[in-house]
Amino acid sequence: MVFSLVYTICFAAILCGSFALMRRGYFAANSLPSARANRHPEAPMHGEAVLYVDLNRERLEQLYQQPS
């Protein structure tokens, strides 16, 4: 009897806590002002040059055939 009561109380506490965290996360995600808030600080600005490495199959085969 006592075990069942303790188990039920612990289960209810975990259940309420999980729903509280889901609700908080849901409202936090919907209250973001814009997509810029999630922008990584090291991401390149619009129009900034970025390094591009072509690693398609033909290019890799040519690199492997070159002597080191």
Side-chain angles (χ1 to χ4, degrees), residues 26 28 63:
Y26 176 74
L63 287 174

Side-chain angles (χ1 to χ4, degrees), residues 30-53:
N30 285 338
S31 67
L32 292 176
S34 67
R36 282 202 166 271
N38 284 343
R39 189 174 176 279
H40 193 276
E42 296 180 5
M45 300 301 266
H46 183 67
E48 186 178 353
V50 294
L51 176 65
Y52 173 73
V53 180

Side-chain angles (χ1 to χ4, degrees), residues 10-67:
C10 291
F11 180 76
I14 291 172
L15 186 67
C16 290
S18 64
F19 277 111
L21 287 174
M22 286 192 310
R23 183 176 183 264
R24 189 171 105 188
Y26 176 74
F27 285 119
N30 285 338
S31 67
L32 292 176
S34 67
R36 282 202 166 271
N38 284 343
R39 189 174 176 279
H40 193 276
E42 296 180 5
M45 300 301 266
H46 183 67
E48 186 178 353
V50 294
L51 176 65
Y52 173 73
V53 180
D54 183 19
L55 293 177
N56 61 21
R57 185 179 181 107
E58 293 81 19
R59 179 72 178 138
L60 283 175
E61 288 174 355
Q62 290 175 358
L63 287 174
Y64 286 132
Q65 291 174 356
Q66 292 178 354

